[in-house]
Amino acid sequence: MRSERGLASRRGVIGAVAGAAAALPAGIARAAGNPQNQPPHLPEWGRSLGPGVIEETYGTRSRHETAVRRYVPWLTPDRVSSVSFTPLAEMHGIITPSGLHFERHHGGVPDIDPADYRLMIHGMVERPLIFTLEDLKRMPQVSRIHFIECPANGGMEWRGAQMSGVQFTHGMLSCSEWTGVPLKLLLAQAGLRPGASWLLAEGGDASHMTRSVPLAKALDDAIIAYGQNGEAVRPQQGYPVRLVLPGYEGNMWVKWLRRIELGDRPWFSRWETRTYTDLMPDGLSRQFTFVNEVNSVITYPCPEKPLQGRPGFVEISGLAWSGAGRITRVDVSVDGGDNWRTAELQDPVLPKALTRFRIPWEWREGQSAFLQSRAMDETGRVQPSITALRAARGTESIYHKNSIHTWLVERDGTVVNVQIDA
Ligand SMILES: Nc1nc2c(c(=O)[nH]1)N[C@H]1C(S)=C(S)[C@@H](COP(=O)(O)O)O[C@H]1N2
Ligand SMILES: [Mo]
């Protein structure tokens, strides 16, 4: 009885879709395509056999999916020392597919034969050690989901809105499941000498990037990672081994990790005296800013995903993250910060990982709106307004811009990157 009614009503709905398409919200039944492949017809892909298993021994996404990493030609003089951005508007959930992970390298991507890979630990240790990749893989492992963000994310926008979409305002941000051996296990094997309090991590690429890391972080949650999203770390992400420092700025996650040296003070490498320092309004520079502060951005709607032709119900959705811990709350405003509603956080909500938030909204055609999101984390950190951040940090810095972001939805549904004084 019940199923009969269900069937009848489903038939009724199908009839309505086919017969009265014009009455439905645009974009549902009016979508383009070949009507011969749409209800009530049997589509062509169901009428002949497709390729069999292992036709592709390593799979690729559907040829209809076209989201790509992009770079900004005017940002860097060449592509060897440059950056590509994750297309955040196209992402579902919290995991970044490895093929769309943002890339930042200073000397190109080295091609490392895993048989020749070695990790050296030396300096203020009892026993200097050299590990092969097999040595590392035989040790107890952990898998953890963490975001990585270049602290220059959004750095083009300290003085005003510049970039035309969320891929470029926030796309130096990705989130993966990282697998490897806790760094503290390697340090325990090497044995710390008294006074050891810092370590230097060096990359094996042509840039030999080196960063000083406080020992406390190494003994806390640092991972020597060889796995990314279930397979080997991708070449662009540091194959075969990268340093994972959850919550810390991306440049410290040294890729193609070659050596770790223990010492009793930071090294002040050129990356720490000339590059990743934060210039403050009083003219002084902050030497180290390790943690990526609490941040968030709306990824739907956004400039790449406007509302044209889609009045009515909209599920606003976005990403929140904090290098200090778990996201506890995200508020969303549609009127530039006058009124806020609390969004729903989608499970899992993990420390130092991207967190997806959602909130329903009714957009009337012809209505303009200023969309904003404001994230909070378990340490009590709250994402600041751009005005408050500029008051504290000035506009001379490049790094650690985590202010509330504003999208203007124009009356026709176009979405534009703007900054408003709030
Ligand atoms: N060896 C080495 N490690 C490196 C870099 C590099 O150029 N060489 N770039 C750093 C910077 S600035 C960032 S933001 C991250 C980017 O990591 P990804 O390319 O996996 O996104 O790697 C860091 N680790
Ligand atoms: Mo970076």
mmCIF file of all heavy atoms in Angstrom, residues 83-84 101-108 148-152 172-174 178 202-210 228 234 236-238 242 249-257 271 276, ligand 1:
data_model
loop_
_atom_site.group_PDB
_atom_site.id
_atom_site.type_symbol
_atom_site.label_atom_id
_atom_site.label_comp_id
_atom_site.label_asym_id
_atom_site.label_seq_id
_atom_site.Cartn_x
_atom_site.Cartn_y
_atom_site.Cartn_z
ATOM 1 N N VAL A 83 53.939 29.452 -7.726
ATOM 2 C CA VAL A 83 52.872 28.843 -6.936
ATOM 3 C C VAL A 83 51.681 28.559 -7.831
ATOM 4 O O VAL A 83 51.363 29.338 -8.720
ATOM 5 C CB VAL A 83 52.478 29.769 -5.755
ATOM 6 C CG1 VAL A 83 52.138 31.161 -6.231
ATOM 7 C CG2 VAL A 83 51.326 29.207 -4.959
ATOM 8 N N SER A 84 51.048 27.406 -7.623
ATOM 9 C CA SER A 84 49.761 27.131 -8.262
ATOM 10 C C SER A 84 48.722 26.986 -7.162
ATOM 11 O O SER A 84 49.052 26.613 -6.037
ATOM 12 C CB SER A 84 49.826 25.865 -9.121
ATOM 13 O OG SER A 84 49.862 24.713 -8.298
ATOM 14 N N HIS A 101 46.208 19.557 -5.364
ATOM 15 C CA HIS A 101 46.893 20.181 -4.224
ATOM 16 C C HIS A 101 47.673 21.399 -4.719
ATOM 17 O O HIS A 101 48.337 21.324 -5.754
ATOM 18 C CB HIS A 101 47.850 19.161 -3.599
ATOM 19 C CG HIS A 101 48.310 19.525 -2.213
ATOM 20 N ND1 HIS A 101 49.206 20.543 -1.969
ATOM 21 C CD2 HIS A 101 48.005 18.995 -1.003
ATOM 22 C CE1 HIS A 101 49.425 20.613 -0.662
ATOM 23 N NE2 HIS A 101 48.707 19.693 -0.050
ATOM 24 N N PHE A 102 47.607 22.515 -3.989
ATOM 25 C CA PHE A 102 48.391 23.682 -4.436
ATOM 26 C C PHE A 102 49.873 23.331 -4.405
ATOM 27 O O PHE A 102 50.281 22.392 -3.701
ATOM 28 C CB PHE A 102 48.077 24.926 -3.599
ATOM 29 C CG PHE A 102 48.852 25.075 -2.309
ATOM 30 C CD1 PHE A 102 50.010 25.849 -2.258
ATOM 31 C CD2 PHE A 102 48.419 24.468 -1.144
ATOM 32 C CE1 PHE A 102 50.722 26.011 -1.070
ATOM 33 C CE2 PHE A 102 49.127 24.623 0.050
ATOM 34 C CZ PHE A 102 50.279 25.394 0.083
ATOM 35 N N GLU A 103 50.660 24.036 -5.189
ATOM 36 C CA GLU A 103 52.103 23.771 -5.256
ATOM 37 C C GLU A 103 52.853 25.065 -4.991
ATOM 38 O O GLU A 103 52.503 26.111 -5.520
ATOM 39 C CB GLU A 103 52.535 23.316 -6.649
ATOM 40 C CG GLU A 103 51.792 22.158 -7.240
ATOM 41 C CD GLU A 103 51.968 22.193 -8.753
ATOM 42 O OE1 GLU A 103 52.956 21.641 -9.250
ATOM 43 O OE2 GLU A 103 51.135 22.801 -9.433
ATOM 44 N N ARG A 104 53.896 24.951 -4.206
ATOM 45 C CA ARG A 104 54.786 26.092 -4.007
ATOM 46 C C ARG A 104 56.186 25.544 -3.934
ATOM 47 O O ARG A 104 56.503 24.768 -3.028
ATOM 48 C CB ARG A 104 54.420 26.818 -2.697
ATOM 49 C CG ARG A 104 55.378 27.910 -2.300
ATOM 50 C CD ARG A 104 55.220 29.143 -3.169
ATOM 51 N NE ARG A 104 56.126 30.227 -2.783
ATOM 52 C CZ ARG A 104 57.167 30.623 -3.539
ATOM 53 N NH1 ARG A 104 57.448 30.029 -4.677
ATOM 54 N NH2 ARG A 104 57.910 31.627 -3.142
ATOM 55 N N HIS A 105 57.003 25.854 -4.910
ATOM 56 C CA HIS A 105 58.405 25.470 -4.797
ATOM 57 C C HIS A 105 59.327 26.548 -5.299
ATOM 58 O O HIS A 105 58.959 27.381 -6.115
ATOM 59 C CB HIS A 105 58.723 24.119 -5.445
ATOM 60 C CG HIS A 105 57.675 23.583 -6.363
ATOM 61 N ND1 HIS A 105 57.631 23.901 -7.672
ATOM 62 C CD2 HIS A 105 56.655 22.738 -6.139
ATOM 63 C CE1 HIS A 105 56.610 23.282 -8.233
ATOM 64 N NE2 HIS A 105 55.989 22.577 -7.335
ATOM 65 N N HIS A 106 60.538 26.503 -4.755
ATOM 66 C CA HIS A 106 61.523 27.555 -5.023
ATOM 67 C C HIS A 106 62.590 27.114 -6.001
ATOM 68 O O HIS A 106 63.372 27.940 -6.468
ATOM 69 C CB HIS A 106 62.192 27.987 -3.716
ATOM 70 C CG HIS A 106 61.247 28.609 -2.739
ATOM 71 N ND1 HIS A 106 60.466 27.873 -1.882
ATOM 72 C CD2 HIS A 106 60.932 29.900 -2.508
ATOM 73 C CE1 HIS A 106 59.723 28.689 -1.146
ATOM 74 N NE2 HIS A 106 59.992 29.923 -1.504
ATOM 75 N N GLY A 107 62.670 25.832 -6.304
ATOM 76 C CA GLY A 107 63.707 25.363 -7.223
ATOM 77 C C GLY A 107 63.182 24.259 -8.134
ATOM 78 O O GLY A 107 63.943 23.408 -8.582
ATOM 79 N N GLY A 108 61.895 24.270 -8.409
ATOM 80 C CA GLY A 108 61.308 23.223 -9.243
ATOM 81 C C GLY A 108 61.120 21.934 -8.461
ATOM 82 O O GLY A 108 61.449 21.849 -7.270
ATOM 83 N N ILE A 148 47.372 22.272 4.943
ATOM 84 C CA ILE A 148 48.608 23.042 4.821
ATOM 85 C C ILE A 148 48.253 24.331 4.113
ATOM 86 O O ILE A 148 47.514 24.322 3.118
ATOM 87 C CB ILE A 148 49.741 22.277 4.090
ATOM 88 C CG1 ILE A 148 50.884 23.252 3.739
ATOM 89 C CG2 ILE A 148 49.249 21.530 2.870
ATOM 90 C CD1 ILE A 148 52.131 22.587 3.166
ATOM 91 N N GLU A 149 48.744 25.434 4.652
ATOM 92 C CA GLU A 149 48.470 26.746 4.065
ATOM 93 C C GLU A 149 49.761 27.525 3.993
ATOM 94 O O GLU A 149 50.483 27.653 4.992
ATOM 95 C CB GLU A 149 47.458 27.511 4.929
ATOM 96 C CG GLU A 149 47.115 28.875 4.353
ATOM 97 C CD GLU A 149 46.211 29.709 5.256
ATOM 98 O OE1 GLU A 149 46.221 29.506 6.486
ATOM 99 O OE2 GLU A 149 45.506 30.572 4.715
ATOM 100 N N CYS A 150 50.069 28.060 2.814
ATOM 101 C CA CYS A 150 51.188 28.990 2.683
ATOM 102 C C CYS A 150 50.784 30.273 3.391
ATOM 103 O O CYS A 150 49.670 30.774 3.187
ATOM 104 C CB CYS A 150 51.475 29.267 1.210
ATOM 105 S SG CYS A 150 52.714 30.553 0.970
ATOM 106 N N PRO A 151 51.659 30.827 4.250
ATOM 107 C CA PRO A 151 51.258 32.033 4.991
ATOM 108 C C PRO A 151 51.044 33.232 4.066
ATOM 109 O O PRO A 151 50.465 34.231 4.492
ATOM 110 C CB PRO A 151 52.425 32.260 5.946
ATOM 111 C CG PRO A 151 53.593 31.600 5.292
ATOM 112 C CD PRO A 151 53.030 30.407 4.570
ATOM 113 N N ALA A 152 51.494 33.146 2.813
ATOM 114 C CA ALA A 152 51.238 34.227 1.844
ATOM 115 C C ALA A 152 49.835 34.134 1.249
ATOM 116 O O ALA A 152 49.463 34.956 0.416
ATOM 117 C CB ALA A 152 52.280 34.188 0.729
ATOM 118 N N MET A 172 46.032 28.888 -1.744
ATOM 119 C CA MET A 172 47.293 28.293 -1.287
ATOM 120 C C MET A 172 46.992 27.501 -0.024
ATOM 121 O O MET A 172 47.593 27.691 1.045
ATOM 122 C CB MET A 172 48.339 29.376 -1.026
ATOM 123 C CG MET A 172 48.943 29.951 -2.284
ATOM 124 S SD MET A 172 50.407 30.925 -1.909
ATOM 125 C CE MET A 172 49.805 32.554 -2.260
ATOM 126 N N LEU A 173 45.991 26.652 -0.136
ATOM 127 C CA LEU A 173 45.428 25.926 0.995
ATOM 128 C C LEU A 173 44.924 24.587 0.479
ATOM 129 O O LEU A 173 44.172 24.538 -0.495
ATOM 130 C CB LEU A 173 44.245 26.742 1.559
ATOM 131 C CG LEU A 173 43.376 26.069 2.605
ATOM 132 C CD1 LEU A 173 44.127 25.994 3.930
ATOM 133 C CD2 LEU A 173 42.086 26.867 2.800
ATOM 134 N N SER A 174 45.357 23.510 1.124
ATOM 135 C CA SER A 174 44.895 22.170 0.754
ATOM 136 C C SER A 174 44.828 21.336 2.022
ATOM 137 O O SER A 174 45.382 21.726 3.058
ATOM 138 C CB SER A 174 45.856 21.519 -0.252
ATOM 139 O OG SER A 174 45.957 22.277 -1.443
ATOM 140 N N TRP A 178 47.726 12.609 5.828
ATOM 141 C CA TRP A 178 49.177 12.380 5.743
ATOM 142 C C TRP A 178 49.543 11.145 6.560
ATOM 143 O O TRP A 178 49.094 10.995 7.692
ATOM 144 C CB TRP A 178 49.945 13.589 6.287
ATOM 145 C CG TRP A 178 49.637 14.874 5.576
ATOM 146 C CD1 TRP A 178 48.795 15.865 5.989
ATOM 147 C CD2 TRP A 178 50.163 15.298 4.299
ATOM 148 N NE1 TRP A 178 48.765 16.884 5.056
ATOM 149 C CE2 TRP A 178 49.581 16.569 4.019
ATOM 150 C CE3 TRP A 178 51.052 14.743 3.376
ATOM 151 C CZ2 TRP A 178 49.869 17.281 2.850
ATOM 152 C CZ3 TRP A 178 51.339 15.459 2.219
ATOM 153 C CH2 TRP A 178 50.754 16.700 1.963
ATOM 154 N N GLU A 202 66.074 20.467 6.244
ATOM 155 C CA GLU A 202 66.582 20.906 4.941
ATOM 156 C C GLU A 202 66.018 20.050 3.823
ATOM 157 O O GLU A 202 65.957 18.818 3.937
ATOM 158 C CB GLU A 202 68.114 20.833 4.907
ATOM 159 C CG GLU A 202 68.694 21.365 3.600
ATOM 160 C CD GLU A 202 70.200 21.161 3.514
ATOM 161 O OE1 GLU A 202 70.943 21.889 4.190
ATOM 162 O OE2 GLU A 202 70.617 20.253 2.775
ATOM 163 N N GLY A 203 65.627 20.687 2.737
ATOM 164 C CA GLY A 203 65.098 19.982 1.577
ATOM 165 C C GLY A 203 66.203 19.541 0.636
ATOM 166 O O GLY A 203 67.271 20.151 0.587
ATOM 167 N N GLY A 204 65.944 18.495 -0.140
ATOM 168 C CA GLY A 204 66.934 17.966 -1.072
ATOM 169 C C GLY A 204 66.815 18.548 -2.471
ATOM 170 O O GLY A 204 67.567 18.168 -3.372
ATOM 171 N N ASP A 205 65.892 19.483 -2.692
ATOM 172 C CA ASP A 205 65.735 20.096 -4.017
ATOM 173 C C ASP A 205 66.805 21.160 -4.228
ATOM 174 O O ASP A 205 67.583 21.461 -3.314
ATOM 175 C CB ASP A 205 64.338 20.712 -4.132
ATOM 176 C CG ASP A 205 64.042 21.718 -3.006
ATOM 177 O OD1 ASP A 205 64.451 21.440 -1.868
ATOM 178 O OD2 ASP A 205 63.437 22.776 -3.276
ATOM 179 N N ALA A 206 66.812 21.762 -5.410
ATOM 180 C CA ALA A 206 67.855 22.730 -5.749
ATOM 181 C C ALA A 206 67.793 23.983 -4.871
ATOM 182 O O ALA A 206 68.778 24.698 -4.754
ATOM 183 C CB ALA A 206 67.739 23.108 -7.225
ATOM 184 N N SER A 207 66.635 24.251 -4.231
ATOM 185 C CA SER A 207 66.564 25.447 -3.378
ATOM 186 C C SER A 207 67.155 25.187 -1.996
ATOM 187 O O SER A 207 67.458 26.115 -1.275
ATOM 188 C CB SER A 207 65.113 25.913 -3.230
ATOM 189 O OG SER A 207 64.416 25.133 -2.272
ATOM 190 N N HIS A 208 67.335 23.908 -1.631
ATOM 191 C CA HIS A 208 67.840 23.525 -0.302
ATOM 192 C C HIS A 208 67.176 24.323 0.788
ATOM 193 O O HIS A 208 67.829 24.859 1.689
ATOM 194 C CB HIS A 208 69.362 23.673 -0.230
ATOM 195 C CG HIS A 208 70.056 22.782 -1.202
ATOM 196 N ND1 HIS A 208 70.094 21.432 -1.057
ATOM 197 C CD2 HIS A 208 70.661 23.062 -2.376
ATOM 198 C CE1 HIS A 208 70.723 20.902 -2.089
ATOM 199 N NE2 HIS A 208 71.061 21.864 -2.913
ATOM 200 N N MET A 209 65.869 24.424 0.692
ATOM 201 C CA MET A 209 65.136 25.222 1.668
ATOM 202 C C MET A 209 65.409 24.705 3.078
ATOM 203 O O MET A 209 65.406 23.499 3.325
ATOM 204 C CB MET A 209 63.651 25.128 1.372
ATOM 205 C CG MET A 209 62.866 26.083 2.192
ATOM 206 S SD MET A 209 61.245 26.314 1.504
ATOM 207 C CE MET A 209 60.650 27.504 2.675
ATOM 208 N N THR A 210 65.670 25.626 3.992
ATOM 209 C CA THR A 210 65.963 25.247 5.372
ATOM 210 C C THR A 210 65.117 26.079 6.317
ATOM 211 O O THR A 210 65.027 27.293 6.176
ATOM 212 C CB THR A 210 67.446 25.495 5.719
ATOM 213 O OG1 THR A 210 67.828 26.767 5.208
ATOM 214 C CG2 THR A 210 68.332 24.421 5.144
ATOM 215 N N GLN A 228 50.170 10.229 1.289
ATOM 216 C CA GLN A 228 49.243 11.354 1.100
ATOM 217 C C GLN A 228 47.966 10.800 0.477
ATOM 218 O O GLN A 228 48.000 10.258 -0.625
ATOM 219 C CB GLN A 228 49.901 12.384 0.173
ATOM 220 C CG GLN A 228 49.046 13.597 -0.151
ATOM 221 C CD GLN A 228 49.691 14.494 -1.214
ATOM 222 O OE1 GLN A 228 50.756 14.204 -1.736
ATOM 223 N NE2 GLN A 228 49.029 15.592 -1.538
ATOM 224 N N ARG A 234 52.870 12.905 -3.449
ATOM 225 C CA ARG A 234 53.102 13.279 -4.846
ATOM 226 C C ARG A 234 54.443 14.017 -5.014
ATOM 227 O O ARG A 234 54.889 14.689 -4.086
ATOM 228 C CB ARG A 234 51.970 14.190 -5.333
ATOM 229 C CG ARG A 234 50.620 13.497 -5.492
ATOM 230 C CD ARG A 234 50.576 12.710 -6.775
ATOM 231 N NE ARG A 234 49.389 11.866 -6.825
ATOM 232 C CZ ARG A 234 48.323 12.104 -7.614
ATOM 233 N NH1 ARG A 234 48.281 13.175 -8.384
ATOM 234 N NH2 ARG A 234 47.319 11.260 -7.633
ATOM 235 N N GLN A 236 55.164 16.748 -6.410
ATOM 236 C CA GLN A 236 55.016 18.190 -6.131
ATOM 237 C C GLN A 236 54.898 18.465 -4.637
ATOM 238 O O GLN A 236 55.139 19.576 -4.192
ATOM 239 C CB GLN A 236 53.761 18.743 -6.829
ATOM 240 C CG GLN A 236 53.825 18.762 -8.339
ATOM 241 C CD GLN A 236 53.544 17.404 -8.969
ATOM 242 O OE1 GLN A 236 53.234 16.426 -8.289
ATOM 243 N NE2 GLN A 236 53.683 17.340 -10.276
ATOM 244 N N GLN A 237 54.488 17.449 -3.875
ATOM 245 C CA GLN A 237 54.335 17.635 -2.429
ATOM 246 C C GLN A 237 55.532 17.140 -1.640
ATOM 247 O O GLN A 237 55.512 17.185 -0.408
ATOM 248 C CB GLN A 237 53.053 16.922 -1.936
ATOM 249 C CG GLN A 237 51.813 17.804 -1.954
ATOM 250 C CD GLN A 237 51.435 18.224 -3.353
ATOM 251 O OE1 GLN A 237 51.077 17.403 -4.182
ATOM 252 N NE2 GLN A 237 51.549 19.517 -3.623
ATOM 253 N N GLY A 238 56.573 16.611 -2.324
ATOM 254 C CA GLY A 238 57.790 16.270 -1.598
ATOM 255 C C GLY A 238 58.264 14.836 -1.706
ATOM 256 O O GLY A 238 59.087 14.398 -0.897
ATOM 257 N N ARG A 242 58.198 14.210 3.096
ATOM 258 C CA ARG A 242 58.127 15.615 3.497
ATOM 259 C C ARG A 242 57.881 15.708 4.993
ATOM 260 O O ARG A 242 57.358 14.779 5.614
ATOM 261 C CB ARG A 242 57.027 16.353 2.753
ATOM 262 C CG ARG A 242 55.697 16.420 3.500
ATOM 263 C CD ARG A 242 54.659 17.302 2.857
ATOM 264 N NE ARG A 242 55.085 18.692 2.718
ATOM 265 C CZ ARG A 242 54.496 19.567 1.910
ATOM 266 N NH1 ARG A 242 53.473 19.194 1.168
ATOM 267 N NH2 ARG A 242 54.915 20.797 1.843
ATOM 268 N N GLU A 249 52.878 27.247 9.519
ATOM 269 C CA GLU A 249 52.849 27.813 8.171
ATOM 270 C C GLU A 249 53.532 26.863 7.167
ATOM 271 O O GLU A 249 54.535 26.210 7.479
ATOM 272 C CB GLU A 249 53.498 29.202 8.145
ATOM 273 C CG GLU A 249 54.890 29.248 8.734
ATOM 274 C CD GLU A 249 55.516 30.641 8.699
ATOM 275 O OE1 GLU A 249 54.797 31.637 8.477
ATOM 276 O OE2 GLU A 249 56.740 30.726 8.878
ATOM 277 N N GLY A 250 52.947 26.827 5.959
ATOM 278 C CA GLY A 250 53.319 25.827 4.959
ATOM 279 C C GLY A 250 54.793 25.784 4.602
ATOM 280 O O GLY A 250 55.339 24.712 4.319
ATOM 281 N N ASN A 251 55.466 26.939 4.630
ATOM 282 C CA ASN A 251 56.879 26.942 4.198
ATOM 283 C C ASN A 251 57.770 26.118 5.117
ATOM 284 O O ASN A 251 58.881 25.763 4.759
ATOM 285 C CB ASN A 251 57.383 28.382 4.077
ATOM 286 C CG ASN A 251 57.259 29.126 5.381
ATOM 287 O OD1 ASN A 251 57.965 28.842 6.341
ATOM 288 N ND2 ASN A 251 56.337 30.076 5.444
ATOM 289 N N MET A 252 57.273 25.808 6.348
ATOM 290 C CA MET A 252 58.089 25.005 7.267
ATOM 291 C C MET A 252 57.937 23.509 7.015
ATOM 292 O O MET A 252 58.707 22.711 7.542
ATOM 293 C CB MET A 252 57.697 25.323 8.705
ATOM 294 C CG MET A 252 57.907 26.797 9.040
ATOM 295 S SD MET A 252 57.345 27.196 10.696
ATOM 296 C CE MET A 252 58.620 26.412 11.694
ATOM 297 N N TRP A 253 56.940 23.157 6.191
ATOM 298 C CA TRP A 253 56.700 21.744 5.874
ATOM 299 C C TRP A 253 57.689 21.336 4.771
ATOM 300 O O TRP A 253 57.304 21.141 3.613
ATOM 301 C CB TRP A 253 55.282 21.526 5.372
ATOM 302 C CG TRP A 253 54.152 21.793 6.312
ATOM 303 C CD1 TRP A 253 54.023 22.802 7.211
ATOM 304 C CD2 TRP A 253 52.950 21.020 6.402
ATOM 305 N NE1 TRP A 253 52.809 22.708 7.852
ATOM 306 C CE2 TRP A 253 52.138 21.631 7.373
ATOM 307 C CE3 TRP A 253 52.475 19.883 5.741
ATOM 308 C CZ2 TRP A 253 50.873 21.131 7.705
ATOM 309 C CZ3 TRP A 253 51.229 19.403 6.075
ATOM 310 C CH2 TRP A 253 50.445 20.011 7.048
ATOM 311 N N VAL A 254 58.951 21.212 5.139
ATOM 312 C CA VAL A 254 60.002 21.018 4.141
ATOM 313 C C VAL A 254 59.752 19.744 3.321
ATOM 314 O O VAL A 254 59.501 18.670 3.874
ATOM 315 C CB VAL A 254 61.386 20.993 4.815
ATOM 316 C CG1 VAL A 254 62.479 20.598 3.830
ATOM 317 C CG2 VAL A 254 61.684 22.354 5.433
ATOM 318 N N LYS A 255 59.816 19.930 1.999
ATOM 319 C CA LYS A 255 59.585 18.816 1.066
ATOM 320 C C LYS A 255 60.911 18.186 0.680
ATOM 321 O O LYS A 255 61.964 18.783 0.853
ATOM 322 C CB LYS A 255 58.875 19.340 -0.188
ATOM 323 C CG LYS A 255 57.577 20.085 0.128
ATOM 324 C CD LYS A 255 56.743 20.338 -1.103
ATOM 325 C CE LYS A 255 57.157 21.591 -1.841
ATOM 326 N NZ LYS A 255 56.157 21.955 -2.890
ATOM 327 N N TRP A 256 60.846 16.959 0.129
ATOM 328 C CA TRP A 256 62.049 16.255 -0.309
ATOM 329 C C TRP A 256 63.092 16.300 0.825
ATOM 330 O O TRP A 256 64.279 16.560 0.618
ATOM 331 C CB TRP A 256 62.607 16.907 -1.599
ATOM 332 C CG TRP A 256 61.510 17.169 -2.603
ATOM 333 C CD1 TRP A 256 60.782 16.225 -3.266
ATOM 334 C CD2 TRP A 256 60.990 18.438 -3.027
ATOM 335 N NE1 TRP A 256 59.849 16.837 -4.075
ATOM 336 C CE2 TRP A 256 59.963 18.189 -3.953
ATOM 337 C CE3 TRP A 256 61.297 19.772 -2.728
ATOM 338 C CZ2 TRP A 256 59.239 19.214 -4.574
ATOM 339 C CZ3 TRP A 256 60.579 20.788 -3.337
ATOM 340 C CH2 TRP A 256 59.569 20.498 -4.248
ATOM 341 N N LEU A 257 62.587 16.015 2.041
ATOM 342 C CA LEU A 257 63.363 16.210 3.279
ATOM 343 C C LEU A 257 64.655 15.400 3.260
ATOM 344 O O LEU A 257 64.638 14.189 3.049
ATOM 345 C CB LEU A 257 62.499 15.791 4.478
ATOM 346 C CG LEU A 257 63.096 15.995 5.858
ATOM 347 C CD1 LEU A 257 63.295 17.478 6.154
ATOM 348 C CD2 LEU A 257 62.180 15.359 6.911
ATOM 349 N N TRP A 271 65.857 32.088 4.755
ATOM 350 C CA TRP A 271 64.398 32.009 4.726
ATOM 351 C C TRP A 271 63.801 32.647 5.977
ATOM 352 O O TRP A 271 62.619 32.940 6.026
ATOM 353 C CB TRP A 271 63.949 30.537 4.655
ATOM 354 C CG TRP A 271 64.669 29.785 3.584
ATOM 355 C CD1 TRP A 271 65.806 29.053 3.720
ATOM 356 C CD2 TRP A 271 64.319 29.720 2.199
ATOM 357 N NE1 TRP A 271 66.181 28.536 2.511
ATOM 358 C CE2 TRP A 271 65.281 28.924 1.562
ATOM 359 C CE3 TRP A 271 63.279 30.270 1.449
ATOM 360 C CZ2 TRP A 271 65.249 28.648 0.202
ATOM 361 C CZ3 TRP A 271 63.239 29.986 0.091
ATOM 362 C CH2 TRP A 271 64.221 29.193 -0.521
ATOM 363 N N TYR A 276 60.462 34.814 5.277
ATOM 364 C CA TYR A 276 59.212 34.618 6.019
ATOM 365 C C TYR A 276 59.166 35.369 7.329
ATOM 366 O O TYR A 276 58.894 34.811 8.382
ATOM 367 C CB TYR A 276 58.966 33.126 6.221
ATOM 368 C CG TYR A 276 58.784 32.431 4.895
ATOM 369 C CD1 TYR A 276 59.752 31.573 4.385
ATOM 370 C CD2 TYR A 276 57.644 32.675 4.136
ATOM 371 C CE1 TYR A 276 59.581 30.957 3.150
ATOM 372 C CE2 TYR A 276 57.474 32.078 2.902
ATOM 373 C CZ TYR A 276 58.447 31.226 2.424
ATOM 374 O OH TYR A 276 58.280 30.640 1.208
HETATM 375 N N1 LIG B 1 62.353 21.609 -0.057
HETATM 376 C C1 LIG B 1 61.380 22.517 -0.167
HETATM 377 N N2 LIG B 1 60.359 22.482 0.705
HETATM 378 C C2 LIG B 1 59.350 23.381 0.619
HETATM 379 C C3 LIG B 1 59.369 24.395 -0.371
HETATM 380 C C4 LIG B 1 60.460 24.402 -1.285
HETATM 381 O O1 LIG B 1 60.557 25.233 -2.196
HETATM 382 N N3 LIG B 1 61.439 23.453 -1.151
HETATM 383 N N4 LIG B 1 58.343 25.319 -0.375
HETATM 384 C C5 LIG B 1 57.655 25.553 0.892
HETATM 385 C C6 LIG B 1 56.505 26.421 0.831
HETATM 386 S S1 LIG B 1 56.811 28.079 0.741
HETATM 387 C C7 LIG B 1 55.228 25.945 0.984
HETATM 388 S S2 LIG B 1 53.909 26.995 1.142
HETATM 389 C C8 LIG B 1 54.948 24.496 1.006
HETATM 390 C C9 LIG B 1 54.013 24.148 -0.155
HETATM 391 O O2 LIG B 1 53.722 22.795 -0.144
HETATM 392 P P1 LIG B 1 52.983 22.111 -1.384
HETATM 393 O O3 LIG B 1 53.730 22.478 -2.629
HETATM 394 O O4 LIG B 1 52.929 20.673 -1.100
HETATM 395 O O5 LIG B 1 51.601 22.727 -1.430
HETATM 396 O O6 LIG B 1 56.120 23.709 0.901
HETATM 397 C C10 LIG B 1 57.258 24.239 1.563
HETATM 398 N N5 LIG B 1 58.337 23.275 1.513
#
